[in-house]
Amino acid sequence: MRWRYNVMDVTMGCCVGTRPPPPCLILLLLKLLATVSQGLPGTGPLGFHFTQSVYNATVYENSAARTYVNSQSRMGITLIDLSWDIKYRIVSGDEEGFFKAEEVIIADFCFLRIRTKGGNSAILNREIQDNYLLIVKGSVRGEDLEAWTKVNIQVLDMNDLRPLFSPTTYSVTIAESTPLRTSVAQVTATDADIGSNGEFYYYFKNKVDLFSVHPTSGVISLSGRLNYDEKNRYDLEILAVDRGMKLYGNNGVSSTAKLYVHIERINEHAPTLHVVTHVPFLLDREPTYAVVTVNDLDEGANGEIESVSIVAGDPFDQFLLAKEGKWINEYRIKERKQVDWEGFPYGYNLTLQAKDKGSPQKFSAIKIVHIANPKRDTVPIRFEKETYDVSISEFSPPGVMVAIVKLSPEPLDVEYKLSPGEDAQYFKINPRSGLIVTAQPLNTVKKEVYKLVVTNKEGDLKAQVTIGIEDANDHTPEFQQLLYDAFVNESVPVGTSVLMVSASDKDKGENGYITYSIASLNLLPFAINQFTGVISTTEELDFESSPETYRFIVRASDWGSPYRHESEVNVTIRIGNVNDNSPLFEKVACQGVISYDFPVGGHITAVSAIDIDELELVKYKIISGNELGFFYLNPDSGVLQLKKSLMNSGIKNGNFALRITATDGENFADPMSVNISVLHGKVSSKSFSCRETRVAQKLAEKLLIKAKANGKLNLEDGFLDFYSINRQGPHFDKSFPSDVAVKENLPVGANILKIKAYDADSGFNGKVLFTISDGNTDSCFNIDMETGQLKVLMPMDREHTDLYLLNITIYDLGNPQKSSWRLLTINVEDANDNSPIFLQDSYSVNILESSSIGTEIIQVEARDKDLGSNGEVTYSVLTDTQQFAINSSTGIVYVTDQLDRETKANYSLKIEARDKAESGQQLFSVVTLKVFLDDVNDCSPAFIPSSYSVKVLEDLPVGTVIAWLETHDPDLGLGGQVRYSLVNDYNGRFEIDKASGAIRLSKELDYEKQQLYNLTVRAKDKGRPVSLSSVSFVEVEVVDVNENLHSPYFPDFAVVGSVKENSRLGTSVLKVTAQDEDTGRDGEVQYSIRDGSGLGRFNIDDESGVISTADILDRETAGSYWLTVYATDRGVVPLYSSIEVYIEIEDVNDNAPLTSDPIYYPVIMENSPKDVSVIQIQAEDPDSSSNEKLTYRITSGNPQNFFTINTKTGLITTTSRKLDREQQAEHFLEMLTCEAFGEERTFNLAVCTLAEGVVEVFLNTSRSLQHTSALFLCPITFIPISRFHCPVSGT
């Protein structure tokens, strides 16, 4: 227990007060892990495994025996124990027995090497099986250790198969006219190899000029002109040659297909007919009815026309096709004999058909040509519409426009008529213009639709006009009674219906929808429902304070527009009186005095009550206070008298309180009091006094109000309706002119004048309508019935009529209707309304494109019917052109600039003829002049594009078309036919087809010899008398083909090297060398390090393969490294191989020896004999070569030689001298451990003798020389001797 505590003390002493550096923590963790791992069972088997669970490897098919597979990974097992004897075996996946597993140990790794077996008749064939998944087992001989892995071997392709055609024979038939570059056939071959090994080229076995084959698609195209007469069949042999033939330096493996091309002169196109009909004049001596043009797109005899015939439609053989005209295939239909037009009034439908001279002969589609009868108007005359549907307002007065009917085309002597009928009387028609207007008011006739029939002069053409009458608000609502009378008691509640009025309206829709209202200037206790006409009370009625009779007007209004029609009816409502008021006393609270001796029958006082109803007389009655019967109240007059003498009653001084009421028979008045005091002695005659209620005054005021209300009602009865009477007629405004001038070219719909009129009446009585009642002889004018706007209805022609006298009539809508009229003179002024007219509909002319400037080509002419300056004509060219101009006076067109047919072959010029009108807009007409330029050979062929650039693989077969030249020569005929030639062909390496411009290889290319060719090509036309040519350039870039057949290879799959630790950067370790059997760049090898534990620690020279250090190496950190070195060639498709490099780090004595513990605490008994072991000092040197060369010695603390040490083993023992604890309880020894080369370590050892006779020995160390900081991971605090003491006995 003491030793363990002391160790803790040392540890704490090492770390207390300071933050332990990371190396100290790492050292402690490593020690802890080492201690734990030593106690774990089964660690060994866990370290026996392959570096990967699956490896990928490759091998070429057809590989020879003992060929090793190639893997980019290090296949095998790392030797945790160098004594392991590992064996590999393929346990599955190699049923055919192609492969064998071998083991090769290099340093601490056992490589798994798989090779093909020898002596096996079967060989690897990728086409049969391209992948093998091997399961390999690794085991240690003599130990129970096993591991498994998978090796996926991919069989790589070799170019061992040739391409094969399927099928091997082809046959096609093409037309002689097949265009150049047309694909005529395609051959197909396949190669079972993959990648570049499966690539092959097509080419002709023998040289062929007229055809080309695409080297990769097998498409055969036409590259020359075919001539059936020269040759009508071509037998071609096509080869499919493996691209590897160039790489292997022989003719390669190939297969052959045959293609038979048959040439036919095929009549592909049938003739086509184009017909332009023509209506000749009756006076023509040889009339032409149509021009027929025939076209056939075929060439040679197939494109020639044999005949054009009339195959149907001419039963009497009256027509013929005459071949004449400018063009060779132009025919004209003419008369063979007199044509019978009377038997065929609508003309003839001729059926034409053409046939060519081809084989087989082809016929055009039939073409039907209508030959019109020149003696008959081809357009039948008919009304523009069979039925005209119009609608007009019911308000329309006479003269309102209804519709315009027209014949189309309209004859010059046209005359329109209305057929007699019931409805015709209400309308009239202008016989020249077809304008229908109203002749009578329409609202007098209750009819919704009118139907008219309009005919021409002859009566054989008819059109129906249906006129719908739009409902207008022309009816006034009519009450069912002339007046209404009703009686109602004053006691009815508010809202009681008194009576209902009702009216009807013959109009439709909103025009006939009626609402009611009370027309009164006074407030009435009645209201009317505007929709039902029910009159009801709106407040309580009172007979006494209101009129006894109410007389008022109820108005019925429709909802029509533009104004409402209204009618009125008198309504009388009489109020019945009801006894609804109690009598009211005029005086109340009467009191007075009578004497004791007042006489019986004497008049004491009188009471008076008024009943407002006045239906019955008022009766009076004493209701209390007269129980003794002293008083009498007259019930009619209200006089109060003394009935019995007071003197005999025994009453000396007394008071009587009488309560008196009044009644009208139904209602009682509130009781009043009469207080009578009886006194002895004389009493004044005016001894009674009462409080006035002013009932009579209030009654008089109410009667006055009633009288005034009756007066107001009587006053309202005297009012007259000024709004329902049409008192005044319409009047024209003072601004109405007597005449107005208009231009004859004023457009239809244009406004001329707005007629203003007014009517002082209101509503319909003041609504003014406008019409033209007369003078509109040509129907050129129309006036808007509502607004009075005078407009142009039909075009005017001053030359026909220059003055119109219009009767403008205005009407109101009152009843009776009133009207007024005025005459308006319209003067039609002349306008420049005739345009110049060209003598021809169009002009055309042909000229040479080389025509010089100033050449006159044609004259055009136009005429104008107008007179003066309006009829003078000037010419101009509207088209924006620099090439042509026209003489403004003569109309001669001439050339003004250079012409070029190739830039523009024809011109369509717009020629304008304009008059010289001095006022207003000048009129003009335009005609088209087409100028056709005839060709002259003035253009050189132009290459498209101007230069060419192509890339060509160096291994393309001879005869391959590498480029097609294309030119454009816009000249026609021979001037547009181009021939090609090569200015330089590089000693016959290239050739060009003269007709098609196809450039072919005539010799093989070699990238290594020449990478670029610049061909100069010339294109020349066949123009006469001078041919033109142009030059272009074709840049041919040769593309390098992958000829890299061989991968670089190392003589060994792995090499071993060594280097001392601490070597300088760049120290050479070893050199690897790979060979490549290719030549040139394909055989140049570059080296690189791509994987391994030494990645970044070493560099490799990419040219020489020398591996050198890239970092300071430390054997104690890593004793060895693996590198994966790649050798890569510089081919187009680079190939590579790899080698594993093992580098061992050689030891250098660069570490001091280290003791197992920094301080030792041995214990020994005093008086121990000689050679008793005290402690074994253990030291180690990290350098591998220094452990056996360590020596030990005591340098201090042992002056009396109590202890001795074995210099080789480090064992401290006692000597013959006796230890005595009482004399010296502890000894502090300093030890020195050193190597053979002088490296030393000092130890301090203290010995303490205990009471029991035990001595404790303390050992301390001190570090010397140069390795202190490098080797002590945790600094040691030396414990001074004074800290150690001998414990007291017994503790």
Side-chain angles (χ1 to χ4, degrees):
M1 185 66 66
R2 177 67 180 274
W3 177 85
R4 183 170 301 173
Y5 287 158
N6 290 334
V7 172
M8 289 297 295
D9 289 342
V10 173
T11 306
M12 295 299 294
C14 181
C15 302
V16 169
T18 60
R19 181 178 180 182
C24 178
L25 296 177
I26 295 172
L27 180 60
L28 292 176
L29 290 173
L30 291 175
K31 278 187 159 264
L32 178 62
L33 291 173
T35 304
V36 173
S37 64
Q38 288 174 3
L40 291 177
T43 304
L46 291 177
F48 184 75
H49 57 79
F50 285 94
T51 56
Q52 293 180 205
S53 59
V54 179
Y55 297 99
N56 291 313
T58 58
V59 65
Y60 280 98
E61 65 174 332
N62 305 325
S63 293
R66 304 186 67 82
T67 299
Y68 287 92
V69 301
N70 183 30
S71 175
Q72 303 306 314
S73 303
R74 239 182 345 135
M75 298 192 301
I77 299 174
T78 302
L79 298 177
I80 304 299
D81 187 346
L82 296 179
S83 65
W84 285 345
D85 185 7
I86 297 177
K87 297 296 181 183
Y88 296 125
R89 183 168 63 88
I90 299 173
V91 296
S92 67
D94 186 22
E95 287 74 11
E96 293 85 358
F98 284 119
F99 304 100
K100 178 178 176 58
E102 295 179 351
E103 53 281 334
V104 178
I105 296 177
I106 297 179
D108 62 348
F109 195 81
C110 181
F111 284 91
L112 168 61
R113 298 276 284 161
I114 298 177
R115 64 174 175 81
T116 56
K117 288 183 178 180
N120 193 341
S121 59
I123 60 174
L124 292 173
N125 190 336
R126 187 201 61 81
E127 286 74 27
I128 296 176
Q129 185 173 348
D130 62 354
N131 184 274
Y132 294 87
L133 183 61
L134 308 182
I135 297 179
V136 179
K137 173 185 176 183
S139 60
V140 178
R141 184 176 299 176
E143 295 187 34
D144 188 17
L145 295 177
E146 294 181 347
W148 286 266
T149 189
K150 295 178 181 178
V151 181
N152 184 20
I153 300 178
Q154 186 75 27
V155 181
L156 302 180
D157 184 57
M158 293 289 288
N159 193 11
D160 57 347
L161 296 174
R162 68 172 182 169
L164 296 176
F165 279 101
S166 178
T168 58
T169 303
Y170 301 83
S171 179
V172 294
T173 300
I174 62 175
E176 178 188 23
S177 58
T178 301
L180 292 175
R181 303 187 191 181
T182 301
S183 300
V184 298
Q186 184 176 17
V187 295
T188 304
T190 56
D191 192 324
D193 290 322
I194 61 174
S196 60
N197 294 330
E199 296 177 359
F200 55 89
Y201 286 138
Y202 299 99
Y203 65 94
F204 291 120
K205 183 177 181 180
N206 302 309
K207 184 178 180 181
V208 177
D209 292 330
L210 292 182
F211 300 93
S212 65
V213 60
H214 193 277
T216 57
S217 67
V219 173
I220 289 92
S221 303
L222 185 63
S223 60
R225 299 288 183 185
L226 299 175
N227 191 324
Y228 178 85
D229 298 325
E230 293 180 1
K231 192 173 185 178
N232 57 18
R233 170 177 163 174
Y234 294 87
D235 298 340
L236 309 177
E237 283 189 84
I238 300 100
L239 299 180
V241 181
D242 199 303
R243 287 188 65 184
M245 71 174 188
K246 184 176 181 65
L247 303 181
Y248 296 117
N250 55 31
N251 292 330
V253 287
S254 64
S255 60
T256 305
K258 290 190 176 181
L259 171 63
Y260 301 102
V261 182
H262 302 274
I263 311 301
E264 285 188 358
R265 183 169 286 165
I266 299 175
N267 188 12
E268 294 184 88
H269 305 283
T272 56
L273 294 174
H274 180 72
V275 179
V276 178
T277 57
H278 176 66
V279 179
F281 294 107
L282 292 175
L283 300 179
D284 287 350
R285 299 183 61 185
E286 293 185 0
T288 297
Y289 295 98
V291 177
V292 182
T293 305
V294 190
N295 294 316
D296 194 316
L297 298 179
D298 293 311
E299 296 181 356
N302 294 331
E304 296 180 7
I305 306 301
E306 181 176 290
S307 64
V308 180
S309 307
I310 301 173
V311 297
D314 186 16
F316 305 118
D317 198 21
Q318 301 172 101
F319 299 94
L320 61 85
L321 281 161
K323 187 174 183 180
E324 59 181 59
K326 181 177 180 180
W327 306 104
I328 188 172
N329 289 331
E330 185 178 282
Y331 299 80
R332 296 179 183 269
I333 299 179
K334 294 191 172 186
E335 292 181 355
R336 187 188 300 273
K337 56 185 178 182
Q338 187 68 33
V339 179
D340 179 16
W341 296 113
E342 286 73 15
F344 294 85
Y346 296 101
Y348 293 84
N349 289 325
L350 304 183
T351 302
L352 308 182
Q353 190 173 44
K355 60 182 177 180
D356 59 23
K357 295 181 180 179
S359 177
Q361 198 170 48
K362 288 200 172 185
F363 294 82
S364 69
I366 60 173
K367 186 80 171 182
I368 297 178
V369 182
H370 178 71
I371 306 299
N373 184 353
K375 298 181 179 180
R376 179 182 178 86
D377 191 352
T378 56
V379 180
I381 298 175
R382 58 171 63 92
F383 279 97
E384 292 177 346
K385 297 180 182 178
E386 294 181 0
T387 302
Y388 293 82
D389 292 315
V390 295
S391 60
I392 60 174
S393 173
E394 190 176 9
F395 283 147
S396 300
V400 173
M401 185 188 82
V402 177
I404 299 175
V405 295
K406 284 290 184 181
L407 288 172
S408 178
E410 190 174 59
L412 295 176
D413 58 346
V414 65
E415 184 178 345
Y416 299 96
K417 294 182 178 180
L418 283 179
S419 297
E422 179 184 355
D423 296 341
Q425 59 182 317
Y426 298 102
F427 304 92
K428 61 182 179 180
I429 191 171
N430 188 315
R432 289 191 295 178
S433 66
L435 174 64
I436 302 174
V437 297
T438 55
Q440 299 181 28
L442 301 178
N443 56 359
T444 59
V445 184
K446 306 308 176 184
K447 199 169 186 178
E448 295 183 357
V449 177
Y450 294 86
K451 291 188 177 181
L452 307 177
V453 176
V454 180
T455 67
N456 61 347
K457 180 171 61 176
E458 293 79 11
D460 56 341
L461 300 176
K462 296 181 180 180
Q464 181 172 309
V465 181
T466 302
I467 304 169
I469 304 302
E470 296 176 350
D471 181 57
N473 192 18
D474 59 340
H475 291 92
T476 302
E478 297 180 359
F479 284 97
Q480 295 179 357
Q481 298 177 209
L482 295 178
L483 58 87
Y484 290 86
D485 196 328
F487 175 85
V488 61
N489 284 327
E490 65 172 330
S491 60
V492 297
V494 175
T496 300
S497 298
V498 179
L499 76 137
M500 183 175 73
V501 297
S502 179
S504 60
D505 193 317
K506 296 179 182 179
D507 292 318
K508 295 180 180 180
E510 291 189 349
N511 292 334
Y513 189 75
I514 298 174
T515 56
Y516 303 91
S517 61
I518 295 176
S520 174
L521 300 177
N522 300 308
L523 293 177
L524 299 176
F526 304 101
I528 189 169
N529 186 303
Q530 61 176 338
F531 301 112
T532 63
V534 174
I535 300 174
S536 57
T537 61
T538 60
E539 58 186 63
E540 293 182 351
L541 303 177
D542 188 8
F543 179 85
E544 289 72 23
S545 62
S546 302
E548 299 176 6
T549 301
Y550 288 91
R551 280 189 286 279
F552 53 87
I553 293 172
V554 171
R555 182 174 296 147
S557 303
D558 61 27
W559 283 33
S561 61
Y563 305 104
R564 293 186 176 189
H565 273 303
E566 298 176 341
S567 62
E568 298 175 345
V569 68
N570 289 321
V571 176
T572 302
I573 298 178
R574 306 179 191 280
I575 308 301
N577 191 10
V578 177
N579 189 11
D580 57 348
N581 292 284
S582 299
L584 298 174
F585 284 101
E586 293 185 70
K587 296 180 180 179
V588 296
C590 296
Q591 58 184 0
V593 178
I594 61 174
S595 65
Y596 182 74
D597 56 354
F598 195 83
V600 174
H603 185 162
I604 300 173
T605 187
V607 294
S608 174
I610 298 174
D611 189 347
I612 298 177
D613 294 321
E614 298 181 354
L615 295 177
E616 298 289 341
L617 294 177
V618 177
K619 302 291 186 179
Y620 304 95
K621 179 180 179 182
I622 299 174
I623 58 176
S624 67
N626 193 27
E627 290 80 4
L628 298 179
F630 285 104
F631 301 98
Y632 169 74
L633 180 65
N634 190 309
D636 297 320
S637 64
V639 175
L640 180 66
Q641 296 173 323
L642 184 65
K643 185 177 179 181
K644 290 191 309 181
S645 174
L646 298 173
M647 297 176 62
N648 297 327
S649 64
I651 299 174
K652 295 180 179 179
N653 294 316
N655 292 318
F656 294 92
L658 303 181
R659 295 183 74 241
I660 300 172
T661 186
T663 179
D664 58 7
E666 293 183 15
N667 302 313
F668 288 90
D670 294 334
M672 66 167 286
S673 63
V674 178
N675 294 322
I676 303 173
S677 299
V678 179
L679 298 176
H680 291 278
K682 276 187 149 183
V683 177
S684 173
S685 58
K686 298 184 179 179
S687 58
F688 271 85
S689 63
C690 299
R691 179 170 55 84
E692 294 286 342
T693 61
R694 300 179 64 195
V695 171
Q697 181 181 352
K698 291 178 182 179
L699 178 61
E701 291 174 355
K702 185 177 285 189
L703 293 176
L704 180 61
I705 291 172
K706 183 175 182 178
K708 288 181 179 180
N710 284 326
K712 288 183 178 180
L713 289 176
N714 294 333
L715 180 64
E716 188 174 333
D717 290 341
F719 289 162
L720 295 176
D721 183 8
F722 289 98
Y723 300 98
S724 60
I725 300 175
N726 189 14
R727 298 180 177 278
Q728 302 187 44
H731 298 280
F732 286 95
D733 190 81
K734 295 180 179 179
S735 62
F736 186 90
S738 60
D739 59 71
V740 63
V742 296
K743 287 283 187 180
E744 63 172 322
N745 60 348
L746 204 62
V748 171
N751 295 332
I752 299 174
L753 175 67
K754 189 169 184 179
I755 307 297
K756 295 181 180 180
Y758 64 92
D759 191 316
D761 293 317
S762 62
F764 284 95
N765 296 329
K767 174 67 176 176
V768 179
L769 302 180
F770 301 84
T771 64
I772 302 174
S773 58
D774 197 10
N776 194 13
T777 55
D778 296 323
S779 302
C780 293
F781 309 98
N782 182 42
I783 191 168
D784 189 278
M785 181 181 74
E786 300 280 345
T787 65
Q789 181 68 56
L790 185 65
K791 296 184 178 182
V792 178
L793 180 64
M794 292 186 183
M796 295 174 285
D797 187 2
R798 189 198 62 80
E799 289 74 21
H800 181 267
T801 303
D802 60 356
L803 184 142
Y804 295 93
L805 188 61
L806 303 182
N807 185 330
I808 308 297
T809 304
I810 53 177
Y811 298 84
D812 63 19
L813 291 178
N815 189 11
Q817 193 174 44
K818 295 186 177 183
S819 63
S820 177
W821 61 270
R822 291 280 295 272
L823 294 177
L824 176 64
T825 301
I826 296 183
N827 296 304
V828 181
E829 295 181 348
D830 184 39
N832 185 23
D833 57 347
N834 290 299
S835 301
I837 303 299
F838 283 95
L839 300 185
Q840 294 180 214
D841 293 335
S842 63
Y843 296 85
S844 65
V845 63
N846 287 71
I847 63 173
L848 289 175
E849 64 173 320
S850 58
S851 297
S852 60
I853 296 175
T855 302
E856 296 180 354
I857 60 175
I858 196 171
Q859 182 177 16
V860 297
E861 184 180 356
R863 296 176 183 174
D864 194 325
K865 295 180 181 179
D866 291 324
L867 301 176
S869 60
N870 292 339
E872 296 179 11
V873 178
T874 181
Y875 302 94
S876 63
V877 178
L878 298 180
T879 306
D880 184 13
T881 178
Q882 302 295 326
Q883 284 72 28
F884 302 96
I886 190 170
N887 187 299
S888 60
S889 300
T890 63
I892 295 177
V893 180
Y894 56 92
V895 179
T896 60
D897 200 354
Q898 296 296 331
L899 303 176
D900 185 8
R901 189 200 64 80
E902 289 72 27
T903 303
K904 194 169 185 180
N906 55 74
Y907 294 84
S908 181
L909 305 179
K910 297 295 184 180
I911 306 297
E912 178 191 77
R914 180 181 294 269
D915 60 30
K916 296 182 179 180
E918 295 176 354
S919 62
Q921 184 178 2
Q922 294 179 340
L923 298 182
F924 62 90
S925 61
V926 178
V927 74
T928 300
L929 168 61
K930 291 187 176 181
V931 181
F932 299 94
L933 303 185
D934 292 337
D935 185 53
V936 174
N937 186 27
D938 56 349
C939 292
S940 302
F943 282 94
I944 303 174
S946 58
S947 61
Y948 299 81
S949 177
V950 296
K951 291 184 178 182
V952 180
L953 295 173
E954 64 173 324
D955 65 337
L956 282 180
V958 173
T960 300
V961 174
I962 63 171
W964 292 88
L965 300 184
E966 185 174 353
T967 56
H968 174 66
D969 192 328
D971 290 323
L972 302 179
L974 294 176
Q977 296 181 13
V978 180
R979 288 292 182 264
Y980 302 92
S981 61
L982 281 175
V983 177
N984 60 328
D985 59 4
Y986 285 89
N987 297 323
R989 194 168 300 276
F990 303 94
E991 63 182 6
I992 190 169
D993 187 276
K994 294 181 179 180
S996 66
I999 300 178
R1000 289 185 172 89
L1001 287 178
S1002 55
K1003 290 182 181 180
E1004 293 183 352
L1005 301 175
D1006 189 347
Y1007 175 84
E1008 286 68 27
K1009 293 182 179 179
Q1010 187 167 349
Q1011 294 83 37
L1012 192 68
Y1013 296 90
N1014 196 352
L1015 306 180
T1016 303
V1017 293
R1018 176 178 284 113
K1020 186 176 183 180
D1021 62 28
K1022 294 183 176 181
R1024 296 290 181 271
V1026 177
S1027 61
L1028 303 176
S1029 65
S1030 61
V1031 173
S1032 181
F1033 301 94
V1034 181
E1035 184 181 85
V1036 181
E1037 181 183 348
V1038 181
V1039 178
D1040 190 17
V1041 172
N1042 182 26
E1043 302 172 78
N1044 193 8
L1045 299 179
H1046 305 286
S1047 301
Y1049 64 91
F1050 291 96
D1052 297 303
F1053 78 95
V1055 294
V1056 177
S1058 64
V1059 64
K1060 290 184 181 295
E1061 64 174 330
N1062 298 329
S1063 297
R1064 291 180 303 172
L1065 297 181
T1067 301
S1068 296
V1069 180
L1070 70 134
K1071 178 180 181 180
V1072 294
T1073 303
Q1075 304 294 327
D1076 193 320
E1077 297 179 2
D1078 292 312
T1079 60
R1081 291 176 57 86
D1082 297 335
E1084 296 178 6
V1085 178
Q1086 290 182 315
Y1087 301 94
S1088 60
I1089 300 173
R1090 300 192 186 178
D1091 200 359
S1093 60
L1095 198 62
R1097 299 280 187 174
F1098 299 91
N1099 290 330
I1100 189 170
D1101 187 280
D1102 58 353
E1103 298 292 339
S1104 65
V1106 174
I1107 299 174
S1108 59
T1109 59
D1111 198 358
I1112 299 297
L1113 306 175
D1114 182 16
R1115 190 197 67 81
E1116 286 72 31
T1117 301
S1120 62
Y1121 295 94
W1122 283 97
L1123 300 176
T1124 303
V1125 176
Y1126 278 70
T1128 308
D1129 62 26
R1130 296 188 179 183
V1132 176
V1133 179
L1135 301 177
Y1136 60 89
S1137 62
S1138 62
I1139 187 173
E1140 297 296 330
V1141 179
Y1142 176 78
I1143 300 177
E1144 184 176 0
I1145 309 304
E1146 296 178 357
D1147 187 40
V1148 174
N1149 187 20
D1150 55 351
N1151 292 285
L1154 297 174
T1155 57
S1156 59
D1157 291 303
I1159 301 176
Y1160 293 86
Y1161 300 94
V1163 178
I1164 188 170
M1165 296 297 291
E1166 64 179 340
N1167 299 321
S1168 294
K1170 182 183 179 182
D1171 297 329
V1172 174
S1173 296
V1174 178
I1175 191 169
Q1176 175 76 48
I1177 302 301
Q1178 294 179 350
E1180 290 184 359
D1181 192 325
D1183 294 323
S1184 60
S1185 60
S1186 301
N1187 285 326
E1188 297 178 358
K1189 301 175 183 180
L1190 296 178
T1191 60
Y1192 305 88
R1193 62 190 175 93
I1194 300 173
T1195 58
S1196 66
N1198 191 28
Q1200 299 173 347
N1201 293 322
F1202 285 114
F1203 305 97
T1204 183
I1205 188 168
N1206 189 310
T1207 59
K1208 293 185 178 180
T1209 65
L1211 178 63
I1212 300 176
T1213 60
T1214 58
T1215 62
S1216 59
R1217 297 199 61 177
K1218 298 300 183 180
L1219 294 169
D1220 186 357
R1221 187 188 68 82
E1222 288 72 19
Q1223 292 183 1
Q1224 188 174 350
E1226 62 183 9
H1227 297 266
F1228 186 78
L1229 304 181
E1230 185 179 87
M1231 302 294 300
L1232 181 64
T1233 304
C1234 63
E1235 298 174 2
F1237 302 101
E1239 188 73 24
E1240 296 181 349
R1241 179 173 290 276
T1242 303
F1243 297 88
N1244 294 324
L1245 184 63
V1247 178
C1248 182
T1249 304
L1250 301 178
E1252 291 84 357
V1254 178
V1255 178
E1256 291 185 350
V1257 181
F1258 296 89
L1259 181 64
N1260 199 356
T1261 64
S1262 61
R1263 183 67 192 275
S1264 61
L1265 300 181
Q1266 71 272 26
H1267 299 289
T1268 301
S1269 61
L1271 297 177
F1272 282 90
L1273 301 178
C1274 182
I1276 298 174
T1277 301
F1278 291 97
I1279 303 174
I1281 299 300
S1282 61
R1283 286 188 55 192
F1284 297 96
H1285 62 278
C1286 294
V1288 180
S1289 177
T1291 38

